[in-house]
Amino acid sequence: MQKVSTSVVRYIAILLMGTLILSASLFLPQNAQAFSGSYSQPVGIHVIDSLQPGHDYGKPPTSPAIMVTVNGEPFTLNTYALAGSNLPRKPLPVEKEKSSATAPTPIKDKSVQKESGSKASKETVTLAKGTKYATDLHIIKSGKPGPVVMIVGGVHGSEKAGYNAARKLVDYKISRGTLLVLPEANKRAISINRRLVQGEGDLNRSFPKTAKESPKNTLARAIYQVVKDYKVDWLMDMHEGYDYYKNQSTSSVGQTLIYYPANSARSAVDTIVKGLNKNISSSYKKFSLLRYPVKGSLARSVGQFLGVRSFIFETSMKPSLSTRVDYQLKAARYLLNELNML
Ligand SMILES: [Zn+2]
């Protein structure tokens, strides 16, 4: 009797295990598909090419970071996928370029001769006029031939140093070329002091990610068109991060300059970072030079698809607003100075 009941139990156990394995094999391929292969049709999961959630730093195209968004929330597939972004991170690769192989040609001699000697002028035009996104673009012309530089603030409405610095640039006088200032790119986000307007997506992910793509919305389209129409040579996009990039217990990109490495942009951005760091004594507060703004960002798209020398400049939100605005303005001045425009 004892023997029989043991074998019956064993028989039932084997049956149960068989059923479990069978049902697991029915579910597995579906679930596995979301995390493998081409990511072509995952439900609620979307792969993006960015190293950290909410940041404007992207990896070089040769080694894309594995990031996904799950129902709109971005995660990497490693530690961040499991526990959000509060875990200590691995240090991000700090910019180090091979020295002589890619020696840039001097920026100063590369200015584009665009304007024939006309008078100095200042003009304001409204982008996305007649829509709720309407925002002013200030056009400062020196009247002398030279580069066209565009400086943008307020793409993210909670990053105050960017738009406060850009507002001050509106009164700048330049000695050659043209300066375009768009101080409040996303006016509505600024008015609510948020990174973005809920339901409208991140403006700094709304620009073309491929050569064939168009900007995603009215505002991005208007800004992208300005870059094309004025044949912008240099673009600086002013942003902020919540901490210091060199503080490795955070994932912030505060105190970085993230540039698109093409068209000999390196020399000028190097000068900006070195110039700023000269007066910063604490090493963790120093600026780092990074390459590749995240895909879909203004700086990335104009750099990659319009041939503009471009970068995102990120101050840390830790110091006072006046210090941060000062960093932003200094960076802008270093650029303009490098281009002999001041
Ligand atoms: Zn930003």
Side-chain angles (χ1 to χ4, degrees):
M1 197 60 191
Q2 183 97 16
K3 230 178 183 177
V4 172
S5 68
T6 309
S7 53
V8 166
V9 168
R10 270 186 193 157
Y11 181 68
I12 291 169
I14 287 163
L15 259 181
L16 273 172
M17 277 177 72
T19 315
L20 272 172
I21 289 164
L22 190 71
S23 42
S25 69
L26 283 173
F27 280 103
L28 247 178
Q30 254 183 312
N31 294 339
Q33 198 181 22
F35 291 99
S36 64
S38 65
Y39 298 92
S40 54
Q41 290 176 313
V43 179
I45 294 178
H46 173 63
V47 179
I48 55 176
D49 181 27
S50 160
L51 202 63
Q52 297 298 340
H55 292 144
D56 300 316
Y57 174 52
K59 288 274 279 180
T62 44
S63 53
I66 305 164
M67 278 207 63
V68 297
T69 54
V70 180
N71 298 326
E73 283 295 308
F75 298 101
T76 60
L77 280 179
N78 48 42
T79 47
Y80 289 90
L82 303 170
S85 59
N86 293 325
L87 288 174
R89 68 186 172 119
K90 272 203 227 160
L92 300 179
V94 178
E95 159 72 9
K96 270 192 188 82
E97 263 186 358
K98 279 162 216 152
S99 51
S100 59
T102 53
T105 44
I107 296 298
K108 282 168 189 164
D109 303 323
K110 292 212 75 184
S111 61
V112 184
Q113 303 289 308
K114 275 184 181 158
E115 287 167 40
S116 49
S118 52
K119 274 188 205 160
S121 65
K122 251 179 90 170
E123 184 191 349
T124 304
V125 297
T126 307
L127 305 189
K129 203 172 182 174
T131 74
K132 57 184 173 181
Y133 308 103
T135 185
D136 283 348
L137 171 74
H138 302 264
I139 303 151
I140 304 162
K141 290 183 178 174
S142 66
K144 292 183 183 130
V148 178
V149 176
M150 181 167 179
I151 301 183
V152 181
V155 164
H156 288 144
S158 55
E159 299 168 17
K160 291 183 179 170
Y163 61 83
N164 277 289
R167 280 172 184 164
K168 289 181 195 269
L169 285 169
V170 170
D171 299 321
Y172 270 42
K173 287 191 176 68
I174 48 164
S175 58
R176 67 169 198 144
T178 301
L179 176 61
L180 306 173
V181 186
L182 180 64
E184 300 173 3
N186 194 347
K187 262 191 124 100
R188 297 172 71 235
I190 291 171
S191 72
I192 53 171
N193 192 28
R194 303 293 281 268
R195 179 181 173 88
L196 48 88
V197 177
Q198 204 66 43
E200 292 192 353
D202 188 333
L203 179 56
N204 218 24
R205 302 292 183 277
S206 301
F207 295 90
K209 289 180 182 156
T210 66
K212 286 180 186 168
E213 253 181 51
S214 303
K216 276 187 188 167
N217 51 54
T218 306
L219 189 51
R221 233 181 341 267
I223 296 168
Y224 207 62
Q225 198 57 44
V226 168
V227 181
K228 286 182 175 175
D229 288 348
Y230 288 84
K231 298 187 172 61
V232 170
D233 296 302
W234 272 94
L235 183 138
M236 172 183 185
D237 191 9
M238 296 172 153
H239 285 257
E240 292 205 275
Y242 63 93
D243 208 303
Y244 293 98
Y245 172 73
K246 290 192 173 182
N247 177 2
Q248 296 192 354
S249 63
T250 82
S251 60
S252 179
V253 288
Q255 310 290 87
T256 62
L257 188 156
I258 312 163
Y259 75 107
Y260 189 75
N263 301 312
S264 313
R266 169 69 194 241
S267 162
V269 292
D270 215 31
T271 304
I272 296 170
V273 167
K274 280 179 182 152
L276 290 168
N277 285 344
K278 258 192 324 211
N279 300 312
I280 301 173
S281 48
S282 316
S283 66
Y284 74 97
K285 292 182 180 173
K286 285 184 191 281
F287 284 84
S288 301
L289 194 55
L290 305 174
R291 294 186 294 171
Y292 295 101
V294 65
K295 278 186 179 175
S297 65
L298 174 61
R300 174 63 175 256
S301 298
V302 302
Q304 191 168 1
F305 306 122
L306 302 181
V308 178
R309 301 173 183 102
S310 62
F311 62 92
I312 297 175
F313 185 73
E314 301 251 6
T315 42
S316 164
M317 286 182 184
K318 291 283 182 187
S320 69
L321 181 59
S322 65
T323 301
R324 287 141 56 195
V325 169
D326 196 47
Y327 281 139
Q328 295 278 356
L329 288 175
K330 269 187 186 154
R333 277 201 299 270
Y334 273 120
L335 173 68
L336 295 173
N337 200 43
E338 192 64 12
L339 299 170
N340 291 327
M341 289 171 71
L342 289 181

